Amino acid sequence: MRERLLSLKDEALQELEQVQSAAELNELRIKYLGKKGPLTEIMRGMGGLSAEERPVIGQVANEVRGAIEAAVQARQDAFDRAETERRLQQEKIDVTLPGRVSKQGGIHPLYRIVQKMEDIFLGMGYKVAEGPEMEQDYYNFEALNLPKNHPARDMQDSFYVTEDILMRTHTSPVQVRTMEAMKGEVPVKIICPGRVYRRDNDDATHSHVFTQVEGLVVGPNIRFSDLKGTLLQFAKEMFGPQTQIRMRPSFFPFTEPSAEVDVTCASCGGDGCRICKHTGWIEILGSGMVHPRVLQMAGYDPNEVSGFAFGIGVERIAMKKYGIDDIRHFYVNDLRFLRQFAKY
Ligand code: DAH
């Protein structure tokens, strides 16, 4: 039995020399050390040995097993090292190679202006509100004191989806939605940036889709002077501290009184140039004191509270600020145009 064990060891070690791969090594391990292997079989047969022989043979068997195990393990370690080495070679990277430059996106020039406006108004304690671009006739017109067949609806030619639903023609419906949601609470102090749609033939100064920033403040004793001060502050932060504003009487059904607001031309500082058509002023927004009927329809008592509102045209501001002469550039999304703003 001793001889059998020793020759088994020699056989296993010899065979081990021939092993080429980790898979073959595993086969060999099973063959010699596995439950059905010869070593196990011999150890099982030890029951038939005499009491003197048993420990002697047992020791030999353990030694043989230990030797085969150690040799297999050593071979396994060698395979593992070789595999690690192979992977290190394969995954080697040349850190001196020039990197691949990934293209970086930039913020759209219109949205840059919107962000700046948000910053300015957030600084004055406003919150940013949102509303749907596809809007109900009620919010877009009726609740803003523009009943059906009101002639002022012609000021804003609309894309109707159904008889009662249209693409909003301005961001003013968000005034109504906000007041309704506030359920009579004061103060209301929001701006709402967003896209608006009108049936216009697109040309250098008209686009059927454009961007506005609406503003609304409602509270006790809100006055026209508050509106003026707010807009002056906005203009100075937007265009520079030397900027002045001018308010011209105007008409909007949802404000009374109403005013259009111009800022001094940033290009010529008010002296008159091509950009401001030699007037020194550039119109940027419509505004006014919220009409009592608008407050009332949205659940506020015009005897208790008052408010002001404004709607700023974003494209105009972006065009002046960046010297863009065609509004369509903002919506065509030609990368050659957009790329120029990526680094601003
Ligand atoms: N909604 C108006 C427009 O698109 C702009 C406007 C005027 C908004 C006066 C206002 C406002 O909130 O008070 O022409």
Side-chain angles (χ1 to χ4, degrees), residues 107-141:
I107 293 174
H108 193 282
L110 279 180
Y111 194 59
R112 273 175 199 287
I113 302 286
V114 169
Q115 279 182 328
K116 168 104 183 166
M117 290 189 190
E118 286 182 354
D119 281 350
I120 295 171
F121 283 105
L122 287 174
M124 291 195 248
Y126 286 66
K127 292 204 167 71
V128 176
E130 280 183 9
E133 291 181 18
M134 206 196 279
E135 186 54 284
Q136 295 170 35
D137 184 279
Y138 174 78
Y139 289 110
N140 195 82
F141 287 132

Side-chain angles (χ1 to χ4, degrees), residues 156 170 172 175 198 212 214-215 252 254-255 286-288 309-311:
Q156 305 185 356
H170 50 182
S172 303
Q175 290 186 25
R198 288 192 201 170
Q212 292 187 330
E214 191 78 14
F252 299 102
F254 31 90
T255 44
S287 65
F310 52 85

Side-chain angles (χ1 to χ4, degrees), residues 137-146 176 180 293-294 297:
D137 184 279
Y138 174 78
Y139 289 110
N140 195 82
F141 287 132
E142 268 183 61
L144 288 165
N145 202 25
L146 274 140
V176 180
E180 276 188 6
R293 275 187 55 76
V294 173
M297 278 187 277

Side-chain angles (χ1 to χ4, degrees), residues 38-294:
L39 209 53
T40 315
E41 196 188 318
I42 292 173
M43 289 172 117
R44 272 206 203 107
M46 277 173 47
L49 295 176
S50 69
E52 295 87 55
E53 271 181 318
R54 208 176 296 146
V56 181
I57 296 298
Q59 198 185 353
V60 176
N62 278 336
E63 275 167 19
V64 167
R65 185 177 188 93
I68 298 176
E69 275 175 355
V72 167
Q73 188 57 50
R75 204 58 205 273
Q76 181 69 51
D77 291 347
F79 280 132
D80 289 349
R81 272 196 305 277
E83 171 65 8
T84 306
E85 188 60 26
R86 188 190 64 75
R87 286 186 47 189
L88 283 175
Q89 286 297 329
Q90 191 187 23
E91 294 168 13
K92 192 160 77 175
I93 50 166
D94 181 354
V95 292
T96 66
L97 278 176
R100 282 188 208 110
V101 181
S102 53
K103 294 211 175 90
Q104 223 182 355
I107 293 174
H108 193 282
L110 279 180
Y111 194 59
R112 273 175 199 287
I113 302 286
V114 169
Q115 279 182 328
K116 168 104 183 166
M117 290 189 190
E118 286 182 354
D119 281 350
I120 295 171
F121 283 105
L122 287 174
M124 291 195 248
Y126 286 66
K127 292 204 167 71
V128 176
E130 280 183 9
E133 291 181 18
M134 206 196 279
E135 186 54 284
Q136 295 170 35
D137 184 279
Y138 174 78
Y139 289 110
N140 195 82
F141 287 132
E142 268 183 61
L144 288 165
N145 202 25
L146 274 140
K148 290 214 159 58
N149 302 319
H150 192 289
R153 284 195 178 203
D154 290 349
M155 289 163 76
Q156 305 185 356
D157 242 351
S158 325
F159 289 114
Y160 273 88
V161 179
T162 69
E163 207 162 300
D164 293 319
I165 296 176
L166 72 162
M167 301 309 290
R168 68 179 175 195
T169 56
H170 50 182
T171 41
S172 303
V174 183
Q175 290 186 25
V176 180
R177 286 181 173 275
T178 304
M179 284 190 279
E180 276 188 6
M182 296 277 289
K183 295 190 179 358
E185 293 267 311
V186 284
V188 179
K189 211 170 168 192
I190 56 113
I191 55 162
C192 167
R195 284 191 171 182
V196 301
Y197 302 81
R198 288 192 201 170
R199 276 183 58 171
D200 254 330
N201 290 324
D202 292 359
D203 62 25
T205 54
H206 295 87
S207 170
H208 63 281
V209 50
F210 57 102
T211 313
Q212 292 187 330
V213 172
E214 191 78 14
L216 172 70
V217 174
V218 178
N221 205 24
I222 299 290
R223 294 157 304 179
F224 196 88
S225 54
D226 297 319
L227 171 64
K228 186 176 176 189
T230 300
L231 294 178
L232 180 61
Q233 179 64 22
F234 161 72
K236 285 178 183 293
E237 287 191 45
M238 191 76 211
F239 301 104
Q242 71 295 338
T243 311
Q244 289 301 315
I245 64 168
R246 162 175 99 169
M247 302 185 97
R248 286 178 288 107
S250 185
F251 170 78
F252 299 102
F254 31 90
T255 44
E256 180 57 39
S258 306
E260 276 175 321
V261 177
D262 304 337
V263 294
T264 40
C265 175
S267 296
C268 60
D271 296 338
C273 68
R274 199 173 53 85
I275 291 188
C276 56
K277 298 198 183 102
H278 303 284
T279 63
W281 296 95
I282 290 168
E283 184 196 325
I284 58 160
L285 62 88
S287 65
M289 300 306 291
V290 182
H291 196 288
R293 275 187 55 76
V294 173

